[in-house]
Amino acid sequence: MKYVNLDAQIGDISGVLDPVPYLEQLPALASALPVGARAFATASGHYDFSGKRCVKDLTLQRIRGVGGADGELEITFRHNCWKHDEDLVIHYTGVSSLVTDPPGVDHTLDIGSLVLDEVLPHEIGCSHEIAFWEGTITVVCRDLVATWTAQSDCPVAP
């Protein structure tokens, strides 16, 4: 990640997640992002750790379209019942690059929950780096559209 700090230190506490450097740059970066990427990156609550539409704590459910001739890719993230009531689906168009670490990441590999992400301008559109506790996914594409979809499979508190 260029701006999001996944290992910040606050006082004597290390290992703190800090999106503030990215959020400080985002107003200047946003105008260079494609429309869908801009809407996703600047959405209210995207980096609000207690918010229902914060990406933190989602889990990778599925990657579809890898290697497709149409340059489209879809990544589905499953909600965390303690925090979210919606799944997130990101549809990427004009994909020129998909890099996973470890290589070959798909829905069958447990790479932990999503930590944070960062959307940056790129010469063909944007790059989207997604950090998990045990790996990363980076997509370079023309644009992306993020859709939150309501789910009702979480247990109801008594």
Side-chain angles (χ1 to χ4, degrees):
M1 302 249 174
K2 185 172 182 175
Y3 299 105
V4 172
N5 190 343
L6 301 178
D7 192 22
Q9 181 149 350
I10 298 176
D12 293 338
I13 302 170
S14 60
V16 176
L17 303 176
D18 185 10
V20 171
Y22 176 64
L23 294 173
E24 290 173 348
Q25 294 296 318
L26 194 53
L29 297 170
S31 63
L33 289 171
V35 174
R38 182 178 335 127
F40 177 60
T42 62
S44 175
H46 188 126
Y47 292 96
D48 174 3
F49 292 163
S50 62
K52 289 187 177 278
R53 287 200 170 173
C54 179
V55 297
K56 186 175 181 320
D57 299 322
L58 294 169
T59 55
L60 178 63
Q61 186 174 21
R62 176 177 52 242
I63 301 176
R64 270 198 318 215
V66 177
D70 57 5
E72 295 194 11
L73 176 71
E74 185 176 273
I75 302 179
T76 304
F77 301 92
R78 182 155 171 74
H79 61 282
N80 174 322
C81 286
W82 300 109
K83 179 176 178 179
H84 308 100
D85 53 12
E86 298 174 293
D87 286 348
L88 174 62
V89 177
I90 303 178
H91 184 87
Y92 301 88
T93 55
V95 175
S96 66
S97 174
L98 169 65
V99 177
T100 62
D101 182 26
V105 167
D106 64 18
H107 68 280
T108 63
L109 182 61
D110 181 11
I111 57 175
S113 61
L114 199 154
V115 179
L116 282 178
D117 71 330
E118 183 175 272
V119 181
L120 296 174
H122 187 276
E123 61 190 27
I124 70 157
C126 64
S127 66
H128 185 202
E129 184 174 357
I130 309 161
F132 299 85
W133 288 113
E134 303 295 327
T136 61
I137 297 173
T138 304
V139 179
V140 175
C141 62
R142 192 171 47 252
D143 201 1
L144 63 87
V145 174
T147 306
W148 290 91
T149 307
Q151 300 300 312
S152 61
D153 64 340
C154 293
V156 177

